Amino acid sequence: MDMKNGGESMPRPRIVIVGGGFGGLATAKALKNTPADVFLIDRNNHHLFQPLLYQVATSVLGPSQIGSPIRAILRSNKNTIVILGEVTGVDVEGKRVFVSDADRQGAPLEYDYLILATGATHSYFGHNEFEKYAPGLKNLAGAVTIRNRILQAFEQAEAEEDPARHRDLLTFVLVGAGPTGVEMSSAIAVLVRSTLKSEFRRIDPASARIVLVDAAPRVLGTFSEDLSRAAYNRLRKLGVEVRLGHSVDHIDAEGVVVAGERIPSKTVIWTAGVAPSLAGKWLNAETDHAGRVRVQSDLTVPGHPEIFVIGDTATLDHNGKPLPGVAQVAMQQGRYSGKLIHRRITGGAAPAPFSYFDKGNMAIVGKGFAVLQSGKIRVSGIAAWAAWAAVHLQFLAQSNLRVSVFLQWVWTFLTNHRGSRLIVNYAGSENQKAEADTIAKAAVSSK
Ligand SMILES: Cc1cc2nc3c(=O)[nH]c(=O)nc-3n(C[C@H](O)[C@H](O)[C@H](O)COP(=O)(O)OP(=O)(O)OC[C@H]3O[C@@H](n4cnc5c(N)ncnc54)[C@H](O)[C@@H]3O)c2cc1C
């Protein structure tokens, strides 16, 4: 992979991108025609469209409708090698990252340019013990776990002879009233009041209690007050109980405690806080209070023009405020870092400092209703919902997903039927494992 330069063979620069999310993919695409060897490393083999994770958790879509294999997306990037592996550290002086996979631990990979686009995970605000009882929504495994729990609760309630237990089984508590909490709680409300309505005999799914809790004084705190109020009213109309102004004191197997009151529930879902990846620790770089790496206006780390940190794991001020952790920021930063590196390698002029173009914010609140805020434009209702649907379809990574998601949405809208209502226990139940064990032992002893 050398390139000729005036008759001399020059090694091509090596660019290592860590993370195949919104930021990392955008960088790789921007480097498509760069005379360099690009390595994109991700611990998953797929790019995940996180904004639709809640639809997997609430059975509207199946996992394969919001994830695409990274190597399929980058198949026409002839200069890019995709590696399935987990980066565990960076040797900043030696210019290498360490990659672990099923066969190798900490294998070094050298770079000339490094882009860290490792995103964020959810934060339990120092209460990691809550995680066991309140799974969060960050990846496909989490979404399927939540889907299993929601569907399982109805199955258990139907099988339960004692009606006194139905109430606990059919109470769903969501902690965090940002976009994810609002979207999830309204989607569960639609699920119980329409899709499941006529399928059970002993229980009435529509009687399910859905409680959305947040310490903040209003839902969708990053939106304007009027849109926040519109979303609140819509949630109430859908039958969601909204508890604001109090954080959750405690979560256990029996439910949550909010402002001293216990809400018994078998299904608690964590939709609050995010924590950035370990990129700041790997680089030993300056971070903000949350751990996001402080980058310069060209998205590099101070003192290291060859290291870029982008997306959810970086922080950069814009109009006096840190840029939000949204997909648009990550994509625009990915495109910018790719362009900057391309120009450096090809001898072009450096681009102007990174500047974010805010295309606006949206959140969906049940069927046929969303809120949209873009500059001075504020819209709520079905028009915002149509815009939400169009934008989300446009940003899905592959055209086959666009078609499949569009058809599923139309079908769900018209019939209230959901696409993926399977309870899938990938590990198998304890009874299944014991049965397999007994069969295996019987087979050995009969030989
Ligand atoms: C439930 C949910 C809903 C959201 N809804 C919206 C929305 O409606 N609109 C919006 O704009 N934004 C939304 N967001 C936020 C948006 O998804 C993020 O801002 C965006 O994904 C950030 O892009 P990124 O490239 O920084 O990180 P990500 O897209 O998270 O990608 C990070 C990638 O890095 C990989 N990775 C991490 N660590 C390692 C490692 N050590 N080694 C190898 N690979 C690693 C991960 O596997 C992942 O593929 C939502 C987020 C969530 C969780």
Side-chain angles (χ1 to χ4, degrees), residues 74-106:
L74 295 177
R75 72 162 86 64
S76 64
N77 278 40
K78 299 296 177 209
N79 62 354
T80 306
I81 294 175
V82 178
I83 292 182
L84 176 64
E86 177 144 29
V87 168
T88 53
V90 179
D91 170 7
V92 172
E93 300 313 319
K95 294 192 179 177
R96 341 182 261 175
V97 298
F98 300 104
V99 191
S100 295
D101 58 30
D103 287 336
R104 303 168 312 156
Q105 290 300 309

mmCIF file of all heavy atoms in Angstrom, residues 74-106:
data_model
loop_
_atom_site.group_PDB
_atom_site.id
_atom_site.type_symbol
_atom_site.label_atom_id
_atom_site.label_comp_id
_atom_site.label_asym_id
_atom_site.label_seq_id
_atom_site.Cartn_x
_atom_site.Cartn_y
_atom_site.Cartn_z
ATOM 1 N N LEU A 74 -19.445 0.492 4.294
ATOM 2 C CA LEU A 74 -18.196 1.050 3.745
ATOM 3 C C LEU A 74 -17.634 0.207 2.593
ATOM 4 O O LEU A 74 -16.449 0.273 2.288
ATOM 5 C CB LEU A 74 -17.146 1.172 4.863
ATOM 6 C CG LEU A 74 -17.499 2.161 5.978
ATOM 7 C CD1 LEU A 74 -16.429 2.153 7.060
ATOM 8 C CD2 LEU A 74 -17.654 3.586 5.416
ATOM 9 N N ARG A 75 -18.505 -0.576 1.969
ATOM 10 C CA ARG A 75 -17.970 -1.504 0.949
ATOM 11 C C ARG A 75 -17.306 -0.778 -0.216
ATOM 12 O O ARG A 75 -16.371 -1.287 -0.815
ATOM 13 C CB ARG A 75 -19.037 -2.468 0.450
ATOM 14 C CG ARG A 75 -20.103 -1.869 -0.439
ATOM 15 C CD ARG A 75 -20.817 -2.961 -1.223
ATOM 16 N NE ARG A 75 -21.916 -3.580 -0.509
ATOM 17 C CZ ARG A 75 -23.031 -2.953 -0.124
ATOM 18 N NH1 ARG A 75 -23.185 -1.663 -0.326
ATOM 19 N NH2 ARG A 75 -23.993 -3.589 0.483
ATOM 20 N N SER A 76 -17.733 0.455 -0.505
ATOM 21 C CA SER A 76 -17.099 1.134 -1.639
ATOM 22 C C SER A 76 -15.898 1.989 -1.213
ATOM 23 O O SER A 76 -15.267 2.624 -2.049
ATOM 24 C CB SER A 76 -18.127 1.984 -2.395
ATOM 25 O OG SER A 76 -18.592 2.998 -1.547
ATOM 26 N N ASN A 77 -15.574 1.987 0.069
ATOM 27 C CA ASN A 77 -14.351 2.679 0.540
ATOM 28 C C ASN A 77 -13.169 1.721 0.388
ATOM 29 O O ASN A 77 -12.851 0.945 1.296
ATOM 30 C CB ASN A 77 -14.474 3.061 2.025
ATOM 31 C CG ASN A 77 -15.242 4.331 2.234
ATOM 32 O OD1 ASN A 77 -16.237 4.563 1.570
ATOM 33 N ND2 ASN A 77 -14.787 5.173 3.160
ATOM 34 N N LYS A 78 -12.536 1.742 -0.779
ATOM 35 C CA LYS A 78 -11.499 0.744 -1.065
ATOM 36 C C LYS A 78 -10.263 0.916 -0.183
ATOM 37 O O LYS A 78 -9.457 -0.007 -0.048
ATOM 38 C CB LYS A 78 -11.086 0.808 -2.549
ATOM 39 C CG LYS A 78 -12.239 0.519 -3.503
ATOM 40 C CD LYS A 78 -12.750 -0.907 -3.340
ATOM 41 C CE LYS A 78 -13.946 -1.193 -4.230
ATOM 42 N NZ LYS A 78 -14.852 -2.195 -3.703
ATOM 43 N N ASN A 79 -10.090 2.098 0.410
ATOM 44 C CA ASN A 79 -8.897 2.329 1.242
ATOM 45 C C ASN A 79 -9.144 1.976 2.708
ATOM 46 O O ASN A 79 -8.284 2.218 3.560
ATOM 47 C CB ASN A 79 -8.445 3.792 1.136
ATOM 48 C CG ASN A 79 -9.500 4.760 1.653
ATOM 49 O OD1 ASN A 79 -10.615 4.352 1.992
ATOM 50 N ND2 ASN A 79 -9.152 6.049 1.728
ATOM 51 N N THR A 80 -10.322 1.404 3.031
ATOM 52 C CA THR A 80 -10.683 1.226 4.446
ATOM 53 C C THR A 80 -10.771 -0.238 4.845
ATOM 54 O O THR A 80 -11.437 -1.031 4.185
ATOM 55 C CB THR A 80 -12.044 1.908 4.719
ATOM 56 O OG1 THR A 80 -11.952 3.252 4.284
ATOM 57 C CG2 THR A 80 -12.385 1.884 6.207
ATOM 58 N N ILE A 81 -10.093 -0.557 5.943
ATOM 59 C CA ILE A 81 -10.158 -1.907 6.507
ATOM 60 C C ILE A 81 -10.987 -1.818 7.783
ATOM 61 O O ILE A 81 -10.689 -0.996 8.663
ATOM 62 C CB ILE A 81 -8.742 -2.423 6.846
ATOM 63 C CG1 ILE A 81 -7.940 -2.591 5.554
ATOM 64 C CG2 ILE A 81 -8.792 -3.720 7.631
ATOM 65 C CD1 ILE A 81 -6.498 -2.976 5.778
ATOM 66 N N VAL A 82 -12.030 -2.633 7.874
ATOM 67 C CA VAL A 82 -12.886 -2.618 9.071
ATOM 68 C C VAL A 82 -12.440 -3.746 9.995
ATOM 69 O O VAL A 82 -12.275 -4.889 9.559
ATOM 70 C CB VAL A 82 -14.367 -2.790 8.675
ATOM 71 C CG1 VAL A 82 -15.254 -2.830 9.918
ATOM 72 C CG2 VAL A 82 -14.813 -1.661 7.749
ATOM 73 N N ILE A 83 -12.229 -3.412 11.261
ATOM 74 C CA ILE A 83 -11.773 -4.421 12.214
ATOM 75 C C ILE A 83 -12.769 -4.525 13.366
ATOM 76 O O ILE A 83 -13.145 -3.514 13.959
ATOM 77 C CB ILE A 83 -10.365 -4.056 12.756
ATOM 78 C CG1 ILE A 83 -9.357 -4.180 11.630
ATOM 79 C CG2 ILE A 83 -9.988 -4.927 13.934
ATOM 80 C CD1 ILE A 83 -7.947 -3.893 12.032
ATOM 81 N N LEU A 84 -13.182 -5.759 13.660
ATOM 82 C CA LEU A 84 -14.050 -5.988 14.807
ATOM 83 C C LEU A 84 -13.154 -6.202 16.023
ATOM 84 O O LEU A 84 -12.429 -7.199 16.114
ATOM 85 C CB LEU A 84 -14.916 -7.235 14.562
ATOM 86 C CG LEU A 84 -15.812 -7.676 15.714
ATOM 87 C CD1 LEU A 84 -16.876 -6.629 16.026
ATOM 88 C CD2 LEU A 84 -16.481 -9.008 15.390
ATOM 89 N N GLY A 85 -13.143 -5.257 16.921
ATOM 90 C CA GLY A 85 -12.279 -5.351 18.094
ATOM 91 C C GLY A 85 -12.554 -4.212 19.045
ATOM 92 O O GLY A 85 -13.199 -3.228 18.686
ATOM 93 N N GLU A 86 -12.061 -4.357 20.252
ATOM 94 C CA GLU A 86 -12.295 -3.330 21.283
ATOM 95 C C GLU A 86 -10.970 -2.632 21.584
ATOM 96 O O GLU A 86 -9.978 -3.285 21.912
ATOM 97 C CB GLU A 86 -12.821 -4.008 22.542
ATOM 98 C CG GLU A 86 -13.028 -3.032 23.678
ATOM 99 C CD GLU A 86 -14.238 -3.409 24.507
ATOM 100 O OE1 GLU A 86 -14.543 -4.611 24.570
ATOM 101 O OE2 GLU A 86 -14.851 -2.498 25.074
ATOM 102 N N VAL A 87 -10.951 -1.322 21.457
ATOM 103 C CA VAL A 87 -9.741 -0.574 21.808
ATOM 104 C C VAL A 87 -9.707 -0.422 23.325
ATOM 105 O O VAL A 87 -10.710 -0.058 23.949
ATOM 106 C CB VAL A 87 -9.733 0.789 21.083
ATOM 107 C CG1 VAL A 87 -8.650 1.696 21.651
ATOM 108 C CG2 VAL A 87 -9.498 0.564 19.592
ATOM 109 N N THR A 88 -8.532 -0.733 23.909
ATOM 110 C CA THR A 88 -8.451 -0.694 25.366
ATOM 111 C C THR A 88 -7.526 0.407 25.863
ATOM 112 O O THR A 88 -7.439 0.650 27.064
ATOM 113 C CB THR A 88 -7.952 -2.048 25.919
ATOM 114 O OG1 THR A 88 -6.730 -2.371 25.227
ATOM 115 C CG2 THR A 88 -8.969 -3.150 25.683
ATOM 116 N N GLY A 89 -6.835 1.069 24.948
ATOM 117 C CA GLY A 89 -5.946 2.135 25.390
ATOM 118 C C GLY A 89 -5.217 2.757 24.214
ATOM 119 O O GLY A 89 -5.276 2.257 23.094
ATOM 120 N N VAL A 90 -4.543 3.896 24.501
ATOM 121 C CA VAL A 90 -3.786 4.598 23.457
ATOM 122 C C VAL A 90 -2.401 4.922 24.015
ATOM 123 O O VAL A 90 -2.280 5.413 25.139
ATOM 124 C CB VAL A 90 -4.489 5.925 23.066
ATOM 125 C CG1 VAL A 90 -3.693 6.663 21.993
ATOM 126 C CG2 VAL A 90 -5.924 5.683 22.584
ATOM 127 N N ASP A 91 -1.363 4.622 23.244
ATOM 128 C CA ASP A 91 0.002 5.048 23.593
ATOM 129 C C ASP A 91 0.248 6.310 22.772
ATOM 130 O O ASP A 91 0.602 6.231 21.590
ATOM 131 C CB ASP A 91 0.981 3.917 23.233
ATOM 132 C CG ASP A 91 2.438 4.364 23.342
ATOM 133 O OD1 ASP A 91 2.695 5.491 23.820
ATOM 134 O OD2 ASP A 91 3.312 3.571 22.924
ATOM 135 N N VAL A 92 0.029 7.463 23.423
ATOM 136 C CA VAL A 92 0.054 8.740 22.710
ATOM 137 C C VAL A 92 1.454 9.022 22.150
ATOM 138 O O VAL A 92 1.600 9.454 20.998
ATOM 139 C CB VAL A 92 -0.411 9.870 23.663
ATOM 140 C CG1 VAL A 92 -0.221 11.227 23.028
ATOM 141 C CG2 VAL A 92 -1.867 9.655 24.055
ATOM 142 N N GLU A 93 2.482 8.743 22.941
ATOM 143 C CA GLU A 93 3.849 9.018 22.477
ATOM 144 C C GLU A 93 4.252 8.071 21.355
ATOM 145 O O GLU A 93 4.854 8.472 20.357
ATOM 146 C CB GLU A 93 4.860 8.896 23.635
ATOM 147 C CG GLU A 93 4.609 9.868 24.804
ATOM 148 C CD GLU A 93 4.361 11.291 24.356
ATOM 149 O OE1 GLU A 93 5.055 11.745 23.423
ATOM 150 O OE2 GLU A 93 3.451 11.956 24.915
ATOM 151 N N GLY A 94 3.920 6.793 21.527
ATOM 152 C CA GLY A 94 4.291 5.790 20.514
ATOM 153 C C GLY A 94 3.343 5.772 19.323
ATOM 154 O O GLY A 94 3.538 4.997 18.396
ATOM 155 N N LYS A 95 2.271 6.592 19.374
ATOM 156 C CA LYS A 95 1.266 6.654 18.305
ATOM 157 C C LYS A 95 0.722 5.266 17.952
ATOM 158 O O LYS A 95 0.818 4.794 16.812
ATOM 159 C CB LYS A 95 1.839 7.324 17.051
ATOM 160 C CG LYS A 95 2.173 8.787 17.253
ATOM 161 C CD LYS A 95 2.447 9.431 15.921
ATOM 162 C CE LYS A 95 2.773 10.902 16.066
ATOM 163 N NZ LYS A 95 3.112 11.551 14.824
ATOM 164 N N ARG A 96 0.164 4.581 18.971
ATOM 165 C CA ARG A 96 -0.454 3.279 18.718
ATOM 166 C C ARG A 96 -1.700 3.137 19.583
ATOM 167 O O ARG A 96 -1.763 3.741 20.664
ATOM 168 C CB ARG A 96 0.455 2.094 19.070
ATOM 169 C CG ARG A 96 1.888 2.409 19.176
ATOM 170 C CD ARG A 96 2.683 1.191 19.482
ATOM 171 N NE ARG A 96 2.960 1.160 20.920
ATOM 172 C CZ ARG A 96 3.561 0.174 21.535
ATOM 173 N NH1 ARG A 96 3.924 -0.905 20.863
ATOM 174 N NH2 ARG A 96 3.795 0.210 22.833
ATOM 175 N N VAL A 97 -2.651 2.370 19.084
ATOM 176 C CA VAL A 97 -3.782 1.992 19.934
ATOM 177 C C VAL A 97 -3.651 0.503 20.213
ATOM 178 O O VAL A 97 -2.970 -0.220 19.476
ATOM 179 C CB VAL A 97 -5.158 2.281 19.248
ATOM 180 C CG1 VAL A 97 -5.342 3.742 18.980
ATOM 181 C CG2 VAL A 97 -5.339 1.468 17.968
ATOM 182 N N PHE A 98 -4.312 0.061 21.284
ATOM 183 C CA PHE A 98 -4.274 -1.360 21.636
ATOM 184 C C PHE A 98 -5.655 -1.954 21.419
ATOM 185 O O PHE A 98 -6.647 -1.415 21.901
ATOM 186 C CB PHE A 98 -3.821 -1.527 23.086
ATOM 187 C CG PHE A 98 -2.448 -0.951 23.298
ATOM 188 C CD1 PHE A 98 -2.283 0.274 23.934
ATOM 189 C CD2 PHE A 98 -1.334 -1.613 22.814
ATOM 190 C CE1 PHE A 98 -1.028 0.821 24.086
ATOM 191 C CE2 PHE A 98 -0.068 -1.066 22.963
ATOM 192 C CZ PHE A 98 0.091 0.155 23.603
ATOM 193 N N VAL A 99 -5.670 -3.056 20.674
ATOM 194 C CA VAL A 99 -6.954 -3.639 20.266
ATOM 195 C C VAL A 99 -7.063 -5.076 20.783
ATOM 196 O O VAL A 99 -6.131 -5.864 20.619
ATOM 197 C CB VAL A 99 -7.074 -3.681 18.719
ATOM 198 C CG1 VAL A 99 -8.504 -4.021 18.305
ATOM 199 C CG2 VAL A 99 -6.640 -2.368 18.088
ATOM 200 N N SER A 100 -8.217 -5.366 21.393
ATOM 201 C CA SER A 100 -8.468 -6.744 21.848
ATOM 202 C C SER A 100 -9.616 -7.326 21.054
ATOM 203 O O SER A 100 -10.576 -6.626 20.733
ATOM 204 C CB SER A 100 -8.831 -6.752 23.334
ATOM 205 O OG SER A 100 -7.731 -6.314 24.100
ATOM 206 N N ASP A 101 -9.489 -8.613 20.737
ATOM 207 C CA ASP A 101 -10.615 -9.307 20.112
ATOM 208 C C ASP A 101 -10.656 -10.724 20.663
ATOM 209 O O ASP A 101 -9.996 -11.026 21.663
ATOM 210 C CB ASP A 101 -10.536 -9.270 18.583
ATOM 211 C CG ASP A 101 -9.257 -9.893 18.051
ATOM 212 O OD1 ASP A 101 -8.726 -10.812 18.708
ATOM 213 O OD2 ASP A 101 -8.770 -9.464 16.987
ATOM 214 N N ALA A 102 -11.412 -11.597 20.011
ATOM 215 C CA ALA A 102 -11.588 -12.941 20.553
ATOM 216 C C ALA A 102 -10.244 -13.676 20.678
ATOM 217 O O ALA A 102 -10.050 -14.505 21.563
ATOM 218 C CB ALA A 102 -12.537 -13.720 19.646
ATOM 219 N N ASP A 103 -9.273 -13.367 19.811
ATOM 220 C CA ASP A 103 -8.010 -14.109 19.782
ATOM 221 C C ASP A 103 -6.838 -13.375 20.415
ATOM 222 O O ASP A 103 -5.880 -13.988 20.847
ATOM 223 C CB ASP A 103 -7.605 -14.397 18.325
ATOM 224 C CG ASP A 103 -8.469 -15.466 17.723
ATOM 225 O OD1 ASP A 103 -9.010 -16.256 18.505
ATOM 226 O OD2 ASP A 103 -8.620 -15.482 16.496
ATOM 227 N N ARG A 104 -6.896 -12.038 20.397
ATOM 228 C CA ARG A 104 -5.715 -11.276 20.801
ATOM 229 C C ARG A 104 -6.091 -10.265 21.866
ATOM 230 O O ARG A 104 -7.164 -9.678 21.821
ATOM 231 C CB ARG A 104 -5.120 -10.517 19.610
ATOM 232 C CG ARG A 104 -4.757 -11.405 18.432
ATOM 233 C CD ARG A 104 -4.466 -10.572 17.196
ATOM 234 N NE ARG A 104 -5.492 -9.581 16.952
ATOM 235 C CZ ARG A 104 -5.300 -8.458 16.264
ATOM 236 N NH1 ARG A 104 -4.124 -8.180 15.784
ATOM 237 N NH2 ARG A 104 -6.293 -7.612 16.072
ATOM 238 N N GLN A 105 -5.189 -10.042 22.795
ATOM 239 C CA GLN A 105 -5.423 -9.025 23.824
ATOM 240 C C GLN A 105 -4.418 -7.902 23.643
ATOM 241 O O GLN A 105 -3.215 -8.129 23.601
ATOM 242 C CB GLN A 105 -5.235 -9.624 25.239
ATOM 243 C CG GLN A 105 -6.335 -10.609 25.641
ATOM 244 C CD GLN A 105 -7.721 -9.965 25.635
ATOM 245 O OE1 GLN A 105 -7.931 -8.917 26.224
ATOM 246 N NE2 GLN A 105 -8.663 -10.589 24.943
ATOM 247 N N GLY A 106 -4.884 -6.700 23.520
ATOM 248 C CA GLY A 106 -4.002 -5.525 23.489
ATOM 249 C C GLY A 106 -3.026 -5.498 22.336
ATOM 250 O O GLY A 106 -1.895 -5.023 22.496
#
